[in-house]
């Protein structure tokens, strides 16, 4: 059984991510956890609240949140009458990243599915502030769905790697099982000026090959100094349906996420990004 967390602010982008997630995992037995946090909304009404009416305003926003979540589930059950799916709702007076971190551990979440943008939807940046915070700090794989991306079966997946990261079997197994029903091809791409791998890189490559044994996996090397440009070119020239990257210290994804100006993020954002988090998690 797969545990999937989908945060929502009830925006079009969030709805698009929900539809993508339910289509992608339609072959699996899944528990979907739909989360709405409303602390930001509560404190955005500061001109309307004071100590005396705080509880009243909080209850009104909480009730609205629960009602929207219940309506969401009712609609999903009609649209996706999949007997393999079950649904849970969580409404919380909390910050999104804190609540997600808590749920990931308590419910042993396998993957988070969310839109790259929220209600604010700034066209100048690749990731909205909430998605960016989750990608940076939550110790769970995140599947980020771009605005207006129409669901396509993931037939061709690109996984750039330098083979230096100690990959987690749980995360690679997730990729293997996601790709298997669609007979997806996975291209492992090493962007480097050298064609030679160290012993450590060779060992990590063998670990990937063994773990992705159910999939057609190609191991490619492209000689280049510009990793981002090489990835974007490969995506565009090979009709890639999903990009997989690992966020860890000194990784290329970390370099992108931690740039000082969000509008400098240049990674291709037209396709779903599956970000693995190379952070220790408690074992359940």
């Amino acid at each position: 059984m797969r545990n999937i967390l989908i945060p929502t602010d009830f925006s079009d982008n969030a709805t698009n991510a929900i539809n993508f997630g339910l289509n992608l995992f339609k072959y699996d037995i899944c528990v979907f956890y739909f989360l709405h946090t409303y602390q930001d909304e509560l404190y955005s009404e500061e001109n309307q609240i004071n100590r005396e009416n705080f509880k009243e305003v909080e209850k009104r926003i909480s009730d609205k949140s629960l009602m929207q979540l219940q309506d969401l589930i009712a609609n999903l059950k009609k649209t996706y009458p999949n007997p393999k799916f079950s649904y849970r709702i969580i409404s919380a007076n909390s910050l999104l990243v804190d609540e997600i971190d808590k749920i990931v551990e308590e419910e042993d979440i396998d993957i988070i599915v969310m839109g790259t943008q929220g209600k604010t939807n700034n066209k100048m940046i690749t990731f909205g502030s909430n998605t960016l915070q989750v990608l940076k700090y939550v110790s769970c794989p995140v599947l980020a769905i771009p605005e207006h991306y129409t669901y396509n079966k993931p037939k061709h997946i690109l996984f750039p790697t330098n083979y230096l990261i100690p990959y987690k079997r749980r995360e690679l197994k997730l990729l293997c099982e996601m790709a298997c029903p669609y007979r997806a091809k996975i291209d492992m791409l090493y962007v480097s000026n050298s064609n030679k791998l160290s012993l450590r890189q060779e060992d990590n490559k063998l670990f990937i090959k063994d773990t992705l044994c159910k999939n057609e996996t190609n191991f490619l090397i492209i000689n280049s100094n510009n990793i981002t440009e090489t990835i974007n070119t490969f995506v565009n020239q090979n009709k890639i349906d999903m990009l997989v990257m690992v966020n860890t210290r000194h990784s290329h994804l970390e370099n992108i996420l931690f740039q000082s100006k969000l509008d400098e993020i240049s990674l291709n954002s037209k396709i779903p990004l599956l970000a693995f988090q190379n952070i220790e998690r408690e074992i359940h």
Side-chain angles (χ1 to χ4, degrees):
M1 184 174 69
R2 198 175 305 287
N3 296 321
I4 301 170
L5 175 60
I6 307 185
T8 180
D9 58 5
F10 309 108
S11 64
D12 290 342
N13 286 319
T15 300
N16 190 49
I18 290 170
N19 291 333
F20 187 97
L22 269 64
N23 275 300
L24 180 65
F25 293 105
K26 61 189 174 185
Y27 299 112
D28 298 340
I29 298 172
C30 298
V31 180
F32 289 95
Y33 294 82
F34 293 96
L35 167 67
H36 179 241
T37 59
Y38 55 84
Q39 188 172 102
D40 286 340
E41 182 181 351
L42 177 62
Y43 286 105
S44 70
E45 296 194 13
E46 281 197 34
N47 59 332
Q48 300 177 32
I49 61 175
N50 51 50
R51 294 294 178 190
E52 287 71 33
N53 71 352
F54 182 86
K55 289 293 183 182
E56 179 185 336
V57 175
E58 181 185 21
K59 185 177 186 309
R60 172 170 56 81
I61 293 175
S62 173
D63 289 346
K64 178 184 174 184
S65 171
L66 278 171
M67 185 176 65
Q68 288 177 299
L69 285 168
Q70 289 165 354
D71 289 345
L72 171 65
I73 298 304
N75 289 330
L76 290 178
K77 286 181 177 179
K78 292 177 184 177
T79 309
Y80 300 94
N82 191 329
K84 295 182 178 182
F85 291 171
S86 57
Y87 303 105
R88 307 283 187 273
I89 59 173
I90 303 168
S91 174
N93 180 3
S94 177
L95 294 174
L96 181 67
V97 70
D98 292 340
E99 194 65 25
I100 286 178
D101 209 31
K102 174 185 170 186
I103 296 168
V104 162
E105 293 303 329
E106 288 181 351
E107 305 297 342
D108 196 23
I109 298 297
D110 296 296
I111 187 170
I112 300 161
V113 181
M114 63 191 304
T116 56
Q117 301 286 347
K119 286 182 177 178
T120 52
N121 202 3
N122 188 337
K123 303 291 185 183
M124 297 299 294
I125 61 176
T126 301
F127 301 110
S129 59
N130 283 329
T131 308
L132 192 64
Q133 292 295 308
V134 175
L135 283 167
K136 283 182 180 181
Y137 301 121
V138 175
S139 57
C140 181
V142 178
L143 179 58
I145 312 301
E147 179 192 14
H148 302 316
Y149 183 83
T150 303
Y151 172 77
N152 286 311
K153 294 178 181 179
K155 303 291 287 184
H156 197 174
I157 299 170
L158 175 62
F159 192 161
T161 179
N162 59 10
Y163 299 113
L164 292 173
I165 300 167
Y167 299 97
K168 290 193 269 187
R169 187 179 299 275
R170 174 173 178 164
E171 295 187 337
L172 291 178
K173 186 179 177 183
L174 171 68
L175 175 60
C176 175
E177 293 174 351
M178 281 175 53
C180 192
Y182 302 101
R183 296 194 175 103
K185 177 172 69 173
I186 301 173
D187 285 342
M188 304 296 303
L189 177 63
Y190 179 37
V191 181
S192 172
N193 286 322
S194 172
N195 292 337
K196 187 176 180 181
L197 299 181
S198 67
L199 289 177
R200 178 182 177 186
Q201 289 174 308
E202 288 283 3
D203 287 343
N204 283 331
K205 180 180 175 181
L206 285 173
F207 180 71
I208 293 169
K209 188 175 182 179
D210 289 343
T211 311
L212 299 180
C213 60
K214 296 180 181 178
N215 313 108
E216 178 188 344
T217 308
N218 302 313
F219 295 88
L220 311 172
I221 298 177
I222 293 181
N223 294 320
S224 174
N225 289 318
N226 193 322
I227 298 175
T228 299
E229 182 180 312
T230 303
I231 292 172
N232 285 338
T233 299
F234 194 96
V235 166
N236 293 328
Q237 291 181 351
N238 294 275
K239 297 181 179 179
I240 299 298
D241 301 305
M242 184 180 293
L243 179 64
V244 181
M245 299 187 79
V246 179
N247 184 25
T248 189
R249 289 190 63 189
H250 311 305
S251 72
H252 183 57
L253 182 54
E254 184 201 48
N255 292 338
I256 293 168
L257 296 179
F258 280 85
Q259 289 189 49
S260 58
K261 294 181 182 178
L262 296 185
D263 59 358
E264 290 179 357
I265 294 176
S266 56
L267 188 67
N268 190 299
S269 62
K270 296 178 182 177
I271 61 173
L273 168 68
L274 174 58
F276 289 149
Q277 306 289 9
N278 199 257
I279 307 168
E280 289 299 322
R281 289 182 66 182
E282 294 181 10
I283 299 174
H284 293 262

